[in-house]
Amino acid sequence: LDSKSSLEDVQNCIDRCSGKVNQAQNLIQNEIQGFQDRLQRCVMSCEDKVKVEMSSVTKPDDMSKFRAQVEACAVKCADEHCSLVPKITKNMVDSMKKL
């Protein structure tokens, strides 16, 4: 580009230069969103399992037991999903190399 380049030329240059960066950003955002969605579904499943055990006459003492069950299950979900991070990272790196 030079001082005589038109605004359209400059914009085309910017678009060409930023294309791969935008693709990489979208790829990372999609992977992170998928990870968050899977983790959220796992935690929701924990909540659903405990709701089945509860009744409309659940005593306050039992509520703390159910809360502890949900928390323990949610921690297990987090641990399981944290173990997926290296594989997800590798997949992202491999995908970005193909851009």
Side-chain angles (χ1 to χ4, degrees), residues 4-60:
K4 295 181 182 178
S5 296
S6 72
L7 183 57
E8 184 178 341
D9 291 336
V10 172
Q11 185 60 50
N12 288 338
C13 180
I14 292 169
D15 291 344
R16 281 191 309 276
C17 293
S18 63
K20 296 223 185 267
V21 172
N22 290 337
Q23 288 176 337
Q25 182 178 11
N26 288 336
L27 182 126
I28 291 168
Q29 286 176 335
N30 288 337
E31 284 290 340
I32 291 172
Q33 185 64 52
F35 177 83
Q36 290 174 328
D37 291 346
R38 289 188 300 274
L39 179 57
Q40 184 177 26
R41 284 193 304 270
C42 185
V43 172
M44 288 173 65
S45 176
C46 295
E47 293 169 353
D48 290 343
K49 289 174 190 173
V50 170
K51 283 179 186 176
V52 169
E53 294 181 35
M54 295 172 61
S55 70
S56 60
V57 292
T58 300
K59 298 176 187 164

Side-chain angles (χ1 to χ4, degrees), residues 44-97:
M44 288 173 65
S45 176
C46 295
E47 293 169 353
D48 290 343
K49 289 174 190 173
V50 170
K51 283 179 186 176
V52 169
E53 294 181 35
M54 295 172 61
S55 70
S56 60
V57 292
T58 300
K59 298 176 187 164
D61 291 343
D62 293 334
M63 289 303 292
S64 61
K65 177 185 81 167
F66 291 129
R67 192 173 306 111
Q69 287 176 347
V70 171
E71 289 173 4
C73 184
V75 167
K76 184 177 178 186
C77 287
D79 289 342
E80 289 172 356
H81 282 76
C82 283
S83 71
L84 299 174
V85 170
K87 177 67 175 162
I88 292 170
T89 302
K90 182 185 180 318
N91 289 345
M92 284 192 292
V93 169
D94 290 345
S95 294
M96 284 193 282
K97 286 179 181 177

